[in-house]
Amino acid sequence: MKTGVSRRWILVDSKGQSSILDLDKYAIMKRVSIHARDLRILDPLLSYPSAIFGREKAIVLNLEHIKAIITTDEVLIRDPMDENVLPVVEELQRRLPLPAINLGEGEDDDQPVVNGTRNEMQTVEPTEFPFEFRALEVALEGVCSYLDTQTRELETAAYPALDELTSKISSRNLDRVRKLKSAMTRLTSRVQKVRDDLEQLLEDDGDMADLYLSRKLVAGVSSPLSGQVAPYWSPDTSSIRSKLLSKASRISGITHEETDVEELEMLLEAYFVQIESTMNKLTTLREYIDDTEDYINIQLDNHRNQLIQLELFLSSGTVCLTVYSLVAAILGMNIPVPWKKDHGYIFKWVVILAGIASASVFLSIITYARHKGLVGS
């Protein structure tokens, strides 16, 4: 009877071989020796932010679509059927197997057992990347490449849309740019979170030292308490243990080694530069969007000013016609006055003078407006 909800995982070992596992959370916790709170970080039903944690025997990795647990000899990845996870799994299968490098040329693997110790010393190079760092590198490369691809796709769609909006302001173009800006904001937040996680790791040597699982295993097998450590590891631990013991014989001091994080620092810096480049692309796109918005606002302000000028002309014309209408209203009154008799010739002069007065008032208003800079020249 299962005590927890079953989840599908894919396991990739140090030989690049993969297998699908159907394990509940308690089986996972027992297998990799992590706490339940660490496993909850990888739960897709819970919206935990991106994070990289180093534990005693595992690295808990939650970056975008990659939710993985890395040990010294295997990688467990959640949701193996996800289309974004499959390329990462294939890359792990390709890059995790590390072929043996013999110092002597022409030597065969089937040499006598007498020389077994010497051959193992020749085969395991101290300069090789630990298994957990090779797996971490693949995960970081997958995440950075995924975010960079999404950024390039967004740029491909955004720049033509922005140029089209500047040439023609319409509801369709405005709605299109609005959706692209929302997508850019969400993508920027995701890239910023990954960038902050890498920066936080680079600033803390202690957190980087926690990611050296092989080093901690070497310290464990070199100590008298090594018998208490071995049961927590998979059956392949014996072979790894022998290799790590050969490495330990060539390490001058564990104390100095524990504080040396230059190897991991260079790895993280490489992908920090890549994610920073992606962040710069998004920043440039945001600035281009802001410039486009400023240009659109300037255009709208110009149209608004033109409408205000048109309203000023119409209002001035209305005032002038009101003066003309006043004269017509006075002369149209049905009131008998003596000066109207035998003075019919005055009518045309009244019309002419009233028109000249209205036009003069209109020109005066427009001249004043131009003098004050209320209308364009």
Side-chain angles (χ1 to χ4, degrees), residues 184-326:
M184 185 206 65
T185 302
R186 292 192 297 269
L187 182 57
T188 301
S189 176
R190 291 158 54 194
V191 173
Q192 182 68 45
K193 188 63 181 71
V194 175
R195 178 192 175 278
D196 290 343
D197 288 338
L198 294 180
E199 185 178 18
Q200 183 178 358
L201 272 176
L202 287 170
E203 290 177 351
D204 194 332
D205 290 349
D207 289 343
M208 285 191 287
D210 289 338
L211 302 183
Y212 278 81
L213 304 181
S214 298
R215 178 185 297 171
K216 289 187 285 188
L217 183 59
V218 169
V221 298
S222 301
S223 65
L225 300 177
S226 59
Q228 300 177 3
V229 178
Y232 290 99
W233 301 96
S234 65
D236 294 334
T237 305
S238 57
S239 60
I240 297 177
R241 192 172 168 184
S242 61
K243 294 180 181 179
L244 292 174
L245 282 172
S246 64
K247 288 184 180 180
S249 64
R250 286 176 276 115
I251 297 175
S252 59
I254 298 298
T255 304
H256 171 70
E257 187 77 11
E258 289 176 350
T259 60
D260 183 15
V261 294
E262 182 180 359
E263 187 179 41
L264 178 59
E265 187 175 7
M266 289 189 296
L267 171 64
L268 294 178
E269 281 180 351
Y271 291 100
F272 179 79
V273 171
Q274 184 175 350
I275 201 70
E276 182 74 14
S277 175
T278 304
M279 192 69 194
N280 291 336
K281 292 179 182 179
L282 292 171
T283 302
T284 303
L285 179 58
R286 175 179 290 276
E287 292 175 353
Y288 193 83
I289 291 177
D290 292 340
D291 293 341
T292 303
E293 288 180 347
D294 293 340
Y295 177 75
I296 297 301
N297 290 331
I298 291 173
Q299 280 190 325
L300 294 176
D301 290 341
N302 184 45
H303 294 160
R304 193 178 299 111
N305 292 337
Q306 291 177 355
L307 291 175
I308 293 174
Q309 291 181 16
L310 178 60
E311 183 181 2
L312 177 60
F313 284 120
L314 293 176
S315 300
S316 301
T318 302
V319 171
C320 296
L321 291 177
T322 301
V323 174
Y324 199 88
S325 300
L326 177 61

Side-chain angles (χ1 to χ4, degrees), residues 61 66 87-93 95-96 132-144 267 271:
L61 186 70
I66 301 178
V88 178
V89 175
E90 294 174 356
E91 192 68 13
L92 285 171
Q93 293 173 341
R95 294 171 58 175
L96 285 185
E132 63 270 20
F133 289 172
R134 300 201 306 274
L136 180 62
E137 182 180 13
V138 172
L140 290 175
E141 181 179 341
V143 171
C144 293
L267 171 64
Y271 291 100

Side-chain angles (χ1 to χ4, degrees), residues 144-212:
C144 293
S145 301
Y146 174 74
L147 293 175
D148 186 66
T149 300
Q150 287 199 326
T151 301
R152 284 188 277 108
E153 291 177 354
L154 182 62
E155 287 179 326
T156 303
Y159 284 115
L162 293 170
D163 294 337
E164 184 178 353
L165 180 61
T166 55
S167 60
K168 181 182 179 181
I169 302 175
S170 63
S171 300
R172 173 180 168 276
N173 291 336
L174 285 172
D175 185 65
R176 182 183 176 190
V177 171
R178 179 189 62 81
K179 292 179 181 178
L180 289 172
K181 185 177 181 180
S182 299
M184 185 206 65
T185 302
R186 292 192 297 269
L187 182 57
T188 301
S189 176
R190 291 158 54 194
V191 173
Q192 182 68 45
K193 188 63 181 71
V194 175
R195 178 192 175 278
D196 290 343
D197 288 338
L198 294 180
E199 185 178 18
Q200 183 178 358
L201 272 176
L202 287 170
E203 290 177 351
D204 194 332
D205 290 349
D207 289 343
M208 285 191 287
D210 289 338
L211 302 183
Y212 278 81

